Amino acid sequence: MAKAICIIGESGAGKTTSLRNLNPEETFFIDADKKGGSWKGFRKQYNSENKNYEATDDPTRVLALMKNISEKTGIKYVVIDTLNGIMIGEEMRRSKEKGYDKWMDLANHIYSILDIVSKLREDLTIIYTAHSETEYEEDGVLMTRMKTSGKKTKRLIPESKFNVVLLAKSINGRYIFETHSNNSTAKTPFGAFEEDEIENDIVPVLKVLEEY
């Protein structure tokens, strides 16, 4: 079983930028948003020549890439940026369809992309990014969670598939990760992080999580 991390946050909160210090020689970047990275030099680090980049929001292709990377490469990290890119891409491709099946298929695609982690090699880490949304619960409390397309996908509660969910935030020009729930679905293993807020950099996070 591979490890899985989810980074959620609003647009501009630093989700993709937090990946800037990953080693490109050990990382494959699946660009479902088709916009590239948000730091200088991204295109030189990740491209088809280096065989570590593909822009696709096709869920079938994403699954095939994940399986191939696990079985045939020594890659250590797979980035999927973002899950919402896959959801929206599939929703738009089937925008003229009506009825239950379309939304059930969409939920099944997302479930498969999350569930495949259990079938991948154990020294592989999948880093998913996703947009967040903040809305009121039935008891009137604001809750920040992963933004999803369709009621079926929301009912999956995607964060339940992760032991690690980091909430990326930009506060007064400072970019941070929220590590524990504060009216959000953020969570990390017990004792892994004492601080509620840590630096927006996935590499130190990965080093801490190696023990878990």
Side-chain angles (χ1 to χ4, degrees):
M1 177 185 289
K3 294 181 180 180
I5 296 173
C6 187
I7 304 170
I8 65 173
E10 296 179 358
S11 179
K15 298 185 298 298
T16 306
T17 305
S18 71
L19 311 172
R20 64 196 178 277
N21 290 323
L22 287 170
N23 183 348
E25 294 180 2
E26 300 177 334
T27 307
F28 194 100
F29 200 102
I30 299 175
D31 187 0
D33 285 353
K34 303 177 184 178
K35 62 179 177 58
S38 50
W39 63 87
K40 185 177 180 180
F42 175 87
R43 295 293 183 185
K44 290 184 179 180
Q45 294 175 337
Y46 296 96
N47 53 64
S48 56
E49 274 189 26
N50 291 341
K51 298 180 180 180
N52 65 355
Y53 175 87
E54 185 165 330
T56 181
D57 59 17
D58 181 342
T60 303
R61 178 58 182 161
V62 171
L63 281 169
L65 282 168
M66 295 171 79
K67 289 178 182 177
N68 185 70
I69 290 165
S70 177
E71 295 171 2
K72 299 179 181 180
T73 77
I75 287 292
K76 292 178 63 176
Y77 308 106
V78 176
V79 171
I80 299 178
D81 187 47
T82 62
L83 282 170
N84 303 88
I86 297 170
M87 294 184 220
I88 296 299
E90 191 68 1
E91 186 179 345
M92 291 299 100
R93 280 187 289 272
R94 301 180 63 175
S95 60
K96 294 183 179 180
E97 295 181 30
K98 296 181 180 180
Y100 174 86
D101 288 349
K102 177 176 73 173
W103 299 109
M104 193 65 208
D105 288 347
L106 175 58
N108 184 59
H109 284 313
I110 297 304
Y111 179 84
S112 297
I113 288 170
L114 299 179
D115 189 61
I116 194 177
V117 169
S118 64
K119 303 176 181 67
L120 305 179
R121 56 182 163 85
E122 62 181 13
D123 62 341
L124 186 63
T125 299
I126 314 298
I127 304 169
Y128 302 85
T129 70
H131 294 290
S132 65
E133 63 180 353
T134 301
E135 56 185 21
Y136 282 100
E137 299 279 80
E138 291 181 1
D139 58 6
V141 175
L142 278 172
M143 175 63 71
T144 300
R145 57 168 58 86
M146 184 189 300
K147 187 173 184 178
T148 57
S149 296
K151 293 179 180 179
K152 287 292 179 185
T153 308
K154 186 173 183 178
R155 286 173 185 166
L156 285 177
I157 313 178
E159 290 97 326
S160 67
K161 301 289 287 182
F162 299 92
N163 289 323
V164 179
V165 178
L166 301 169
L167 176 58
K169 286 185 172 182
S170 174
I171 303 174
N172 298 323
R174 178 173 169 254
Y175 293 89
I176 58 98
F177 283 143
E178 189 174 283
T179 60
H180 305 118
S181 176
N182 180 17
N183 292 343
S184 75
T185 53
K187 58 183 176 179
T188 49
F190 180 77
F193 298 96
E194 294 183 3
E195 302 89 353
D196 291 330
E197 296 179 355
I198 59 174
E199 181 186 358
N200 177 296
D201 186 346
I202 198 62
V203 172
V205 173
L206 291 169
K207 288 180 180 178
V208 170
L209 294 175
E210 284 178 3
E211 301 178 10
Y212 293 82

